[in-house]
Amino acid sequence: MAPLTLSSFTDAPREAARLVARTVRLDADTLATMPGGISALAGEAARVWMHPSAQLIAHGVAARLELPHGIDGGVAWIQAALSSIQATDAVGHPGSGPVALGALPFDRTEPAALVVPAQLVGVTPDGAAWVTTIGEGAAPAPHLEPAEPRRRSPDSFTLKSALPHDAWCERVAAAVAEIARGDLSKVVLARAVDVEANRPLVVEEILRRLTALYPSCAIFHVDGFLGASPELLLSRRARAVASHPLAGTYAVSADVDADRRFSEVLRRSAKDQREHRFVVEAVAAALGPACASLDVPDEPSIVSLRNVMHLGTPIHGHLKEGAPDALTLAARLHPTPAVCGTPRDLAEAWLGAHEGFRRGLYAGLVGWVDARGDGDWFLGIRSATVDGARARMVAGVGVVAGSSPEAELVETQLKLQAMLAALIRP
């Protein structure tokens, strides 16, 4: 049966009521018998979300939720549609019952879509597991089947920058000059690098490597777009809300003592502190009206990953009664100065005129929202778009007054290496 296609606040709830969702508990032994546990279900066709807070593996499409005018056209109807699905949920965890998940573009006006999967398997850190099945008229019986045996991974590749290094550095210099004129305070300039391998890239292998390399990140895969994002834009659990903006970057070495010194350099960097403060202030300003209370630390902390460290500020709040769902809140925040710049409208206009390529899903939103309004939305960074033996990696840097084009180029290389390490087996 063809999936439903929903695209408007008026029709979506009525059409969604034709769907029936059934969530049942899974015995822990069911997944334990699969080599790799829930990740064994993460084949190339699966939509994957793996994070320490929740793991979701989705197959098939019960409904396609289209946003013809992007998130600027409004996303609140998606929550209304999910709530209209007839649901029996024996679990009641965030992520159980009807769920919409996927990735949304960086450009708020670009057409987009999320899906309500026909089957979704979920696991929480405490070991609770479930499967939700959704169908029109009656929920089908669950069917758990490990992914097919993996193809042979590629073992050689070539890299090509979409723009030569010198030309890209000239764009950084142009951004610095624009900032010096006074209207623009920060712009996040991205750089694309294309990978061509000697054989088709194997999504399951890439996801496995990402999970091993970046266990604290959100590992995702949506129709060829995959990555390991370290940056939480918005998480909602009932009335508890959180965001963890990152901005300000330094390299990580293999020397613990050196990294301790590097972290102090990052903490004391006026340039990085200024870049970070732009993001924190924007997130707090956007979340504040929806919150009864909001805790924003005065100083950032260090977030260390495999090859870079960032300044990060964990923001926590308690939502007012009747506050919006996770996706609606995330849409209010996007794009933050972490991926666009500030003032936002000026930064978007500058990028449109100078960046030189369409970002697509890079630096957009990736995550999920359930019928209760709970959900997780991360920024689609440290990512790549895979198509057969080819992939495009993109990395961005925050350009502010005092930015060095050469230093910003090195930062993109560090961030791109994070993804390249997972794309190609050493």
Side-chain angles (χ1 to χ4, degrees):
M1 184 176 295
L4 296 181
T5 299
L6 312 177
S7 60
S8 74
F9 191 93
T10 302
D11 297 333
R14 175 176 51 81
E15 291 295 307
R18 295 161 53 186
L19 297 174
V20 176
R22 179 170 177 261
T23 300
V24 297
R25 293 184 182 276
L26 278 179
D27 190 315
D29 291 340
T30 302
L31 293 178
T33 57
M34 295 183 186
I38 189 173
S39 62
L41 303 172
E44 189 165 352
R47 294 175 173 88
V48 176
W49 178 263
M50 291 189 286
H51 184 260
S53 64
Q55 298 184 51
L56 305 174
I57 309 292
H59 289 89
V61 179
R64 182 176 171 85
L65 311 178
E66 295 187 341
L67 298 163
H69 306 292
I71 64 175
D72 260 0
V75 295
W77 66 267
I78 288 179
Q79 176 66 25
L82 291 174
S83 300
S84 299
I85 295 173
Q86 303 173 58
T88 302
D89 186 350
V91 176
H93 277 288
S96 68
V99 168
L101 78 166
L104 300 170
F106 168 79
D107 184 341
R108 294 177 58 89
T109 66
E110 188 173 325
L114 298 175
V115 303
V116 178
Q119 178 171 287
L120 183 145
V121 178
V123 177
T124 62
D126 62 6
W130 66 89
V131 57
T132 299
T133 52
I134 300 181
E136 189 171 347
H143 177 66
L144 302 184
E145 185 174 340
E148 295 181 3
R150 293 186 286 265
R151 302 186 303 271
R152 187 182 176 194
S153 295
D155 54 16
S156 68
F157 61 94
T158 58
L159 298 179
K160 182 179 180 181
S161 294
L163 195 68
H165 290 181
D166 289 348
W168 189 83
C169 286
E170 288 174 2
R171 295 189 180 183
V172 175
V176 173
E178 184 69 25
I179 290 166
R181 282 189 273 272
D183 292 330
L184 189 62
S185 297
K186 174 183 176 181
V187 65
V188 179
L189 185 63
R191 175 171 166 254
V193 172
D194 294 318
V195 181
E196 183 160 359
N198 62 330
R199 286 187 288 272
L201 296 154
V202 181
V203 167
E204 303 96 306
E205 279 287 335
I206 298 169
L207 294 174
R208 182 186 62 78
R209 293 187 199 117
L210 288 172
T211 302
L213 292 169
Y214 311 107
S216 65
C217 294
I219 311 301
F220 59 87
H221 173 242
V222 180
D223 302 331
F225 180 62
L226 49 76
S229 176
E231 187 158 1
L232 172 66
L233 181 65
L234 193 287
S235 177
R236 180 182 185 263
R237 297 292 186 274
R239 290 173 68 178
V241 66
S243 182
H244 197 175
L246 307 178
T249 304
Y250 209 93
V252 168
S253 72
D255 186 315
V256 174
D257 290 334
D259 285 347
R260 189 177 296 113
R261 294 193 299 272
F262 295 159
S263 69
E264 286 305 309
V265 171
L266 183 56
R267 287 180 194 274
R268 295 173 184 172
S269 166
K271 179 259 186 188
D272 289 292
Q273 286 279 355
R274 184 168 62 253
E275 180 185 345
H276 186 74
R277 182 50 52 181
F278 287 141
V279 184
V280 172
E281 290 175 352
V283 171
L287 275 183
C291 291
S293 63
L294 190 65
D295 178 32
V296 184
D298 292 331
E299 296 292 333
S301 53
I302 297 294
V303 177
S304 290
L305 301 172
R306 181 172 176 267
N307 66 335
V308 294
M309 63 180 74
H310 299 289
L311 293 177
T313 297
I315 297 172
H316 297 276
H318 187 71
L319 294 168
K320 295 175 181 177
E321 187 173 354
D325 62 276
L327 175 57
T328 301
L329 288 170
R332 288 183 183 181
L333 297 181
H334 179 71
T336 73
V339 292
C340 178
T342 188
R344 188 174 80 181
D345 290 347
L346 291 178
E348 285 180 318
W350 193 93
L351 290 171
H354 297 90
E355 194 164 52
F357 68 98
R358 293 191 65 82
R359 291 187 176 187
L361 297 177
Y362 167 75
L365 310 181
V366 59
W368 59 274
V369 62
D370 66 22
R372 289 172 289 271
D374 292 339
D376 290 332
W377 293 92
F378 277 65
L379 296 178
I381 57 176
R382 310 301 150 79
S383 59
T385 301
V386 173
D387 182 10
R390 297 180 175 87
R392 165 159 282 196
M393 308 183 298
V394 183
V397 291
V399 180
V400 296
S403 288
S404 160
E406 292 74 20
E408 301 297 354
L409 178 65
V410 170
E411 184 175 325
T412 66
Q413 291 168 335
L414 287 169
K415 292 174 177 177
L416 291 166
Q417 285 169 8
M419 194 65 221
L420 185 62
L423 284 177
I424 303 295
R425 176 179 293 168

